[in-house]
Amino acid sequence: METSGRSRLVTHCRVCGAADWQEVVSFGSVPLANAFLDPATSYEDEARFPLGVISCRSCRLMSLTHVVDPEVMYRTYFYVTSDSESITRHMRYVAQTCTSRFALGEDELVVEMGSNTGAQLLAFRPGGQRVLGVDPALNLAATANAHGVLTLPEYFSDRTAARIRNGHGQARLILGRHVFAHVDDLADVAAGVRRLLARDGVFAIEVPYALDLVERVAFDTVYHEHLSYFLVGTLAELFDRHGLRLFDVERLPVHGGSILAFVGLREGPWEQQGSVAELFAAEQAAGLHQDAAYGEFAHKVARVRQELPRLVRGLVAQGARVAGYGASAKGTTLLNICGIGADELQFCSDTTVLKQGKVLPGTHVPVCSPQSAAAEPPDYYLLLAWNYADEILEKERRFLDNGGRFILPVPEPVVLSAGARATTPT
Ligand code: TMP
Ligand code: ZN
């Protein structure tokens, strides 16, 4: 069911206001990445929305073509911050690096937007900071509160920021891990940050890096929740327009390639580091300020969309059992736009209890626990959570040693067997 009433076409750039877009890719109508379904419901009413990417010729923001009403996407939300080892380690790193770099004292206020079940804020507990979460998902905010992480069930906005300031004072740190790319009204969030941040406060955001998206052909990270795909140059321009300053950037391997960007008030004490100019230069060198690089990206995407289903269908035709590994949001994009579904995949294994017993959006592949998957392992796992490849291959050593294989979908499909030697399929 195409539900155009609950989405809007993007006309002007949410960073610079220009209306000169290059069309990059268009994936047709796709269900929401985290809208897992109950197998008992009728699939006929499943909502689908247009999914495509455009690039602003002025500031080079990569944006979705359509914005879906956030009330549809976030009020009940199945995405629980992964309790994977690598993410837990990373959250500890974020807390430690912010605490030591910005000399966060005990009792200073740390606010997190998109705080999910509160796992990142809990990492500040050893430092003794006061923490406050803000997350519109009513189910997740309730869980966070039950865990003792005070969480407002709201979107972070200028209004929310005013309320927080009145009730809790100014923040030394405002965090937004993998939430900034979900925001349509960036001016409103920036205004809230300005209002809430102490003069020497820091706004730290982690976003998927558009340079990595293009270089790794990670097109499956495109889904309705990710409205923006940022370059460092674009972020610098954005914050400059709102009285803020991007003063440092760190590249991270998280979620297939992300950046941790540090932002202060323009009149604040934080001076811009060399990292900002360095990454801006890398983006220029990669051609990301010209149309051609995006054309090339689209070409590579088209190749994966052709080769991956051919590979998977070929295996199934030979009698192999294939299943999905990790019911990630990017898996929804990948399967739906490659036309791989329940005819090819027997099931999809996932550690998230909330997803187990449901079916994947659009393809309706049943999600099961790793325990029941291990009872009847397939011959091949299509790795839909490839951002955790190292951790998962290590964990699934026995599956591999017993002759099982993994298919990695991007940047081009490869099959991995024991010894983890990649072989490009012919
Ligand atoms: P994410 O990339 O959005 O965090 O989603 C990854 C999904 O993969 C999430 O639903 C949890 C799942 N997963 C597993 O099933 N097994 C694993 O070992 C890991 C690391 C993740
Ligand atoms: Zn722009």
Side-chain angles (χ1 to χ4, degrees), residues 79 82 84 255 325-330 349-352 355 385 387-388 391-392 395:
Y79 180 78
S82 192
S84 85
H255 290 310
Y325 197 106
S328 59
K330 65 179 86 54
S349 160
D350 196 285
T351 48
T352 315
K355 296 179 185 176
N387 45 322
Y388 301 109
E391 183 176 341
I392 288 172
K395 194 158 70 175

Side-chain angles (χ1 to χ4, degrees), residues 30-52:
V30 179
L32 298 176
N34 280 306
F36 291 82
L37 304 166
D38 207 304
T41 54
S42 156
Y43 301 145
E44 275 170 30
D45 297 336
E46 189 171 18
R48 288 173 175 269
F49 299 91
L51 185 68

Side-chain angles (χ1 to χ4, degrees), residues 313-380:
R313 282 197 203 110
L315 293 170
V316 171
Q318 288 164 25
R321 291 179 76 239
V322 186
Y325 197 106
S328 59
K330 65 179 86 54
T332 297
T333 297
L334 188 82
L335 297 179
N336 279 286
I337 74 168
C338 291
I340 299 171
D343 287 345
E344 290 82 17
L345 305 185
Q346 312 249 329
F347 59 84
C348 182
S349 160
D350 196 285
T351 48
T352 315
V353 175
L354 275 177
K355 296 179 185 176
Q356 293 162 7
K358 300 218 162 9
V359 300
L360 298 184
T363 60
H364 312 143
V365 174
V367 182
C368 70
S369 69
Q371 292 73 23
S372 57
E376 263 188 277
D379 301 301
Y380 290 81

Side-chain angles (χ1 to χ4, degrees), residues 72-362:
V72 179
M73 289 194 281
Y74 299 122
R75 280 304 184 182
T76 306
Y77 196 42
F78 287 113
Y79 180 78
V80 180
T81 304
S82 192
D83 57 1
S84 85
E85 267 177 52
S86 50
I87 291 293
T88 308
R89 217 178 315 122
H90 175 63
M91 290 196 287
R92 224 177 295 137
Y93 168 76
V94 170
Q96 282 164 358
T97 204
C98 290
T99 306
S100 60
R101 272 195 69 173
F102 310 123
L104 296 185
E106 276 191 25
D107 285 332
E108 287 194 298
L109 181 65
V110 176
V111 174
E112 186 183 17
M113 57 180 81
S115 50
N116 205 271
T117 53
Q120 175 67 69
L121 287 175
L122 280 174
F124 286 89
R125 205 156 256 184
Q129 285 81 25
R130 282 182 297 135
V131 298
L132 177 67
V134 184
D135 198 299
L138 302 173
N139 56 327
L140 301 184
T143 307
N145 281 314
H147 289 166
V149 179
L150 182 60
T151 302
L152 304 178
E154 316 247 351
Y155 298 93
F156 185 91
S157 63
D158 194 22
R159 235 179 65 191
T160 318
R163 267 186 49 204
I164 296 174
R165 193 181 159 145
N166 284 340
H168 303 265
Q170 287 183 308
R172 267 306 302 292
L173 179 68
I174 303 176
L175 262 177
R177 288 196 53 247
H178 294 279
V179 64
F180 204 64
H182 299 231
V183 174
D184 194 16
D185 191 348
L186 294 171
D188 188 31
V189 169
V193 168
R194 267 203 70 88
R195 184 189 294 279
L196 184 58
L197 213 53
R199 194 178 169 279
D200 61 349
V202 174
F203 177 39
I205 56 166
E206 190 178 308
V207 288
Y209 190 21
L211 177 63
D212 286 316
L213 161 64
V214 171
E215 286 188 341
R216 298 179 187 199
V217 200
F219 65 93
D220 51 351
T221 61
V222 172
Y223 43 86
H224 297 102
E225 295 172 19
H226 290 166
L227 306 180
S228 305
Y229 306 83
F230 291 107
L231 294 171
V232 167
T234 312
L235 278 180
E237 173 168 349
L238 168 71
F239 291 121
D240 194 46
R241 283 171 177 270
H242 296 286
L244 297 162
R245 181 190 299 118
L246 174 66
F247 66 87
D248 201 1
V249 198
E250 218 178 287
R251 277 183 94 166
L252 302 164
V254 179
H255 290 310
S258 304
I259 43 177
L260 185 56
F262 298 105
V263 179
L265 298 177
R266 182 181 285 148
E267 64 277 19
W270 308 108
E271 280 175 24
Q272 198 170 74
Q273 306 294 304
S275 57
V276 176
E278 272 164 36
L279 285 176
F280 183 72
E283 293 162 5
Q284 296 267 11
L288 292 171
H289 291 88
Q290 274 115 39
D291 282 10
Y294 299 91
E296 224 170 274
F297 167 72
H299 188 70
K300 289 181 188 160
V301 172
R303 269 212 357 230
V304 178
R305 287 180 77 182
Q306 199 171 24
E307 281 175 17
L308 185 67
R310 208 185 57 185
L311 167 69
V312 172
R313 282 197 203 110
L315 293 170
V316 171
Q318 288 164 25
R321 291 179 76 239
V322 186
Y325 197 106
S328 59
K330 65 179 86 54
T332 297
T333 297
L334 188 82
L335 297 179
N336 279 286
I337 74 168
C338 291
I340 299 171
D343 287 345
E344 290 82 17
L345 305 185
Q346 312 249 329
F347 59 84
C348 182
S349 160
D350 196 285
T351 48
T352 315
V353 175
L354 275 177
K355 296 179 185 176
Q356 293 162 7
K358 300 218 162 9
V359 300
L360 298 184

